[in-house]
Amino acid sequence: MAQASFPNIAGSLFATDGKPHPVQDTLTVATLVLGLLSFITSFFPGLHLLASWAGLVGLVGGAYGQWISVTTRERFGLVLGLGASGIGFLIGMANGGLFGGVIGG
């Protein structure tokens, strides 16, 4: 009688296929950190430069990460980071934008 085998996914946080994905994992963590930074700093109008730039970099890095992602766990983290980056970016833009007060202000 044949026994079904199931992959062991308990050993790794990101790679559910058992293979290492260092580039994807790095992009996931970077997108989450930039999204959190952008989201938190967007609540302070004086930090609009940091919020908008961190959000923009998080959006670009997260979009590339989505394009090359391999596992569902990577995509889940990227979507969370992209959402936080997007919200932080938009609020940062509303408070002064990427160059507000530095160029032409």
Side-chain angles (χ1 to χ4, degrees), residues 4 64 66 87:
Y64 180 68
Q66 281 284 51
I87 291 170

Side-chain angles (χ1 to χ4, degrees), residues 10-67:
S12 175
L13 181 61
F14 291 112
T16 57
D17 60 354
K19 299 175 187 171
H21 302 187
V23 174
Q24 291 87 345
D25 293 345
T26 303
L27 279 171
T28 301
V29 171
T31 302
L32 283 167
V33 168
L34 286 168
L36 187 63
L37 175 69
S38 177
F39 183 75
I40 290 171
T41 57
S42 70
F43 291 110
F44 304 98
L47 297 176
H48 62 86
L49 289 172
L50 181 59
S52 56
W53 279 106
L56 182 62
V57 173
L59 285 171
V60 171
Y64 180 68
Q66 281 284 51
W67 185 46

Side-chain angles (χ1 to χ4, degrees), residues 63-96:
Y64 180 68
Q66 281 284 51
W67 185 46
I68 66 169
S69 66
V70 178
T71 65
T72 303
R73 288 183 182 182
E74 292 165 1
R75 293 181 189 118
F76 180 76
L78 285 166
V79 167
L80 289 177
L82 280 166
S85 293
I87 291 170
F89 173 71
L90 292 174
I91 294 174
M93 292 298 289
N95 285 334

